[in-house]
Amino acid sequence: MSIIDLTSMGEPQKDIKNQINNRLKKLQDEVSEFCYQCAKCTSGCEAHKLLELEPHKIVALLKRGLIDEMLNSDVIWTCMSCFKCRERCPQKVAPVEILFALKNIAVASGKPIPGKYSAMLQSILSNGLIQDVQTISDRNNQAIKRDKLNLPDLSKPVDTNKFQLVLSKLAIEKI
Amino acid sequence: MKKYVFYPGCVMPTEQYAYELSIREIMPILDIELIDVKDFSCCGEPMKSVNQLMTIYLSARNISIAEKEGYDIFVPCPMCHLSLSECQNILENNHEINKKINEMLSSENLCYNKPINIVNTVDLIHDIVGLDKIKKLVKNPLNKLKAATHYGCHLIRPSEIGRPVDSENPQKMENIIKAIGAEPHDYSEKLDCCGAMINTNLPESALTKTGQKLVAVQNYGFDVFVDVCPWCHRMFDSKQKKAGETVAAKLDMPVVYLTQLLGLSFGIDRNKLGLNLNLSPVDKIKFGGK
Ligand code: SF4
Ligand code: SF4
């Protein structure tokens, strides 16, 4: 199974498109409605301090239905998932969750997945974890691996076939 | 002896060995028995940007595996802790998703039945073990050691799903640090993010976040920076040198896991606590004043 199978969405998969539309509509109706654009979310946003993310504008764009613009913009991938906006919004809007949804939709509609997400996903598929055991260096530049440290075996899925089968199903029912 | 199923996650057992070593060293001293279980997987949180249902599924399968053992679960990584907690919240409140997830779980012969207690390092030590017990175990009080804490965003927010510490003024790590004789101080940047989540796609920006926080901590004159998250520690300790280069600053800040600091105060050998694995200058940490 490849990443493409898991993340891209072929044209004929109408169901998924409907699901995406439903999810967006739900976000638009139920979530963005409550936002009164106070920008408290942006005032504490960790990504705003450094990059160009303005969570209150994300909510405003969603309200106006400018979804494609957001799906095509790298800005949705600058959120650091600090959850400050969700914690502090007086209207319980949670821009961070809108951003997660937008990223999911971007991936589901076949847009490229940035950075190391694909590698992490591939690793989860093959051994259940985002990465395999790493060789690290200590302060004296000695190479150290888990098995030299007298630690128990790594806990990971025992029946990998069953595990992979479920995850591949998830790809189809992703929303 | 209180027992917990030990859920290691991904980052700690594959790379951040110092956290696992120090946990396994101090827990028996605190009368906590950790039960190792096979078959766990990633908690799913790192995939939340890609496929949220996968996140929920992966968390649910880990909870189900722990549930079979009949004990509560100890989750030292704040990101895993949030993922499992939020998943449990969703499964308890959303019948539709619960049904769907349980259908999928059944093909791995698993089942989510009921919520279990999910504890992290900080509440386990602060609330369950308790500060009185910690105080009695101290052999080398870390007197006058000025400590800055970093909880990690996922441990403190969002409070609506229940987090082990206060979302705007967390003090449990401070209380623990006081109990072993050191001096924690609050600072303006205490709640700032380490940037780890965008290290995946924007490493330069992530390192800038890390560097900016460490520069502030260093300028305040702290002796040690204490964390409890393998993702944060990877940024502040393992990548400290790179973070310094990114923000054009000379960083020289000892960064340790809370469990390592406790171990030091209990008189445990440094290497047993994995202190040889910290890449920041931890040899600078002095005992009993300067
Ligand atoms: S804090 Fe909430 S209400 Fe205010 S702008 Fe942000 S999302 Fe809207
Ligand atoms: S979760 Fe993302 S959008 Fe929200 S405040 Fe943090 S960085 Fe900004």
Side-chain angles (χ1 to χ4, degrees), chain B:
Chain B
M1 194 63 70
K2 214 169 160 17
K3 290 187 183 183
Y4 287 91
V5 170
F6 189 21
Y7 174 73
C10 297
V11 177
M12 182 182 77
T14 59
E15 178 195 311
Q16 289 295 322
Y17 307 126
Y19 198 18
E20 186 173 345
L21 286 168
S22 53
I23 285 170
R24 291 189 189 275
E25 251 341 286
I26 69 163
M27 286 306 163
I29 300 176
L30 303 177
D31 283 330
I32 300 289
E33 185 181 336
L34 300 177
I35 305 162
D36 284 294
V37 175
K38 285 190 177 125
D39 207 27
F40 281 134
S41 58
C42 172
C43 71
E45 193 72 12
M47 281 300 115
K48 195 171 172 186
S49 291
V50 175
N51 183 331
Q52 224 168 330
L53 194 58
M54 188 180 288
T55 305
I56 300 172
Y57 179 75
L58 288 170
S59 276
R61 85 179 280 289
N62 291 317
I63 297 170
S64 316
I65 291 166
E67 196 188 313
K68 279 202 294 192
E69 301 295 316
Y71 296 101
D72 290 337
I73 186 169
F74 167 50
V75 183
C77 170
M79 196 189 287
C80 304
H81 186 280
L82 175 63
S83 193
L84 267 54
S85 308
E86 179 141 51
C87 168
Q88 201 158 263
N89 235 42
I90 294 170
L91 296 180
E92 286 301 304
N93 295 309
N94 189 322
H95 181 70
E96 204 183 312
I97 295 186
N98 185 317
K99 205 173 138 235
K100 192 170 185 171
I101 293 287
N102 261 321
E103 271 167 28
M104 288 191 260
L105 283 172
S106 67
S107 47
E108 285 199 81
N109 302 325
L110 292 167
C111 179
Y112 171 86
N113 295 302
K114 57 176 187 353
I116 53 173
N117 282 324
I118 304 169
V119 302
N120 174 263
T121 317
V122 176
D123 51 333
L124 180 57
I125 295 172
H126 189 277
D127 304 343
I128 294 161
V129 173
L131 300 177
D132 289 341
K133 185 162 193 157
I134 301 286
K135 279 181 199 155
K136 284 189 201 127
L137 288 166
V138 175
K139 291 198 185 115
N140 298 326
L142 305 178
N143 290 343
K144 299 221 171 68
L145 192 74
K146 274 178 72 184
T149 62
H150 176 88
Y151 286 78
C153 297
H154 292 76
L155 198 64
I156 47 187
R157 290 176 294 266
S159 55
E160 62 176 294
I161 65 154
R163 306 308 296 130
V165 292
D166 188 86
S167 63
E168 299 291 354
N169 186 19
Q171 290 295 331
K172 287 185 185 176
M173 276 173 84
E174 277 72 6
N175 296 341
I176 297 167
I177 288 170
K178 267 184 225 156
I180 58 173
E183 271 180 38
H185 292 274
D186 283 337
Y187 58 105
S188 320
E189 294 79 2
K190 182 169 133 178
L191 299 189
D192 283 7
C193 172
C194 71
M197 282 312 284
I198 53 164
N199 193 44
T200 309
N201 53 319
L202 298 162
E204 191 101 346
S205 304
L207 288 165
T208 307
K209 291 296 288 184
T210 309
Q212 286 172 343
K213 183 152 182 169
L214 283 175
V215 166
V217 168
Q218 191 163 290
N219 288 344
Y220 291 131
F222 281 107
D223 300 316
V224 66
F225 183 83
V226 190
D227 55 25
V228 282
C229 172
W231 292 79
C232 301
H233 191 87
R234 169 150 80 182
M235 300 304 292
F236 291 121
D237 177 82
S238 317
K239 293 182 189 286
Q240 182 173 130
K241 203 164 156 245
K242 267 194 179 169
E245 284 162 9
T246 311
V247 296
K250 172 128 186 44
L251 290 175
D252 199 24
M253 192 70 222
V255 178
V256 297
Y257 283 111
L258 179 67
T259 42
Q260 291 182 301
L261 202 63
L262 279 178
L264 282 173
S265 77
F266 298 165
I268 300 171
D269 176 73
R270 287 180 165 239
N271 281 1
K272 281 193 178 159
L273 297 166
L275 270 154
N276 54 320
L277 304 178
N278 298 46
L279 297 186
S280 62
V282 291
D283 293 326
K284 280 168 62 179
I285 300 173
K286 299 272 190 300
F287 298 101
K290 285 163 226 178

Side-chain angles (χ1 to χ4, degrees), chain A residues 31-32 34-42 55-57 59-60 85 88-95 98:
Chain A
V31 183
S32 63
F34 296 100
C35 171
Y36 46 44
Q37 288 292 297
C38 68
K40 191 176 180 190
C41 50
T42 299
H56 73 290
K57 288 199 181 157
V59 187
C85 54
R88 294 174 180 170
C89 172
Q91 293 291 89
K92 298 212 176 299
V93 173
I98 295 175

Side-chain angles (χ1 to χ4, degrees), chain A residues 17-71:
Chain A
K17 282 212 166 145
N18 286 339
Q19 286 189 40
I20 290 178
N21 287 338
N22 289 343
R23 183 164 167 182
L24 276 175
K25 202 170 164 345
K26 200 166 165 239
L27 278 177
Q28 257 174 311
D29 293 352
E30 293 176 16
V31 183
S32 63
E33 189 60 30
F34 296 100
C35 171
Y36 46 44
Q37 288 292 297
C38 68
K40 191 176 180 190
C41 50
T42 299
S43 77
C45 174
E46 291 281 350
H48 180 62
K49 289 177 194 165
L50 190 64
L51 299 152
E52 280 164 15
L53 183 59
E54 293 175 287
H56 73 290
K57 288 199 181 157
I58 297 287
V59 187
L61 289 170
L62 176 71
K63 208 166 176 173
R64 283 168 184 71
L66 297 168
I67 313 286
D68 272 346
E69 286 74 1
M70 288 192 281
L71 296 185

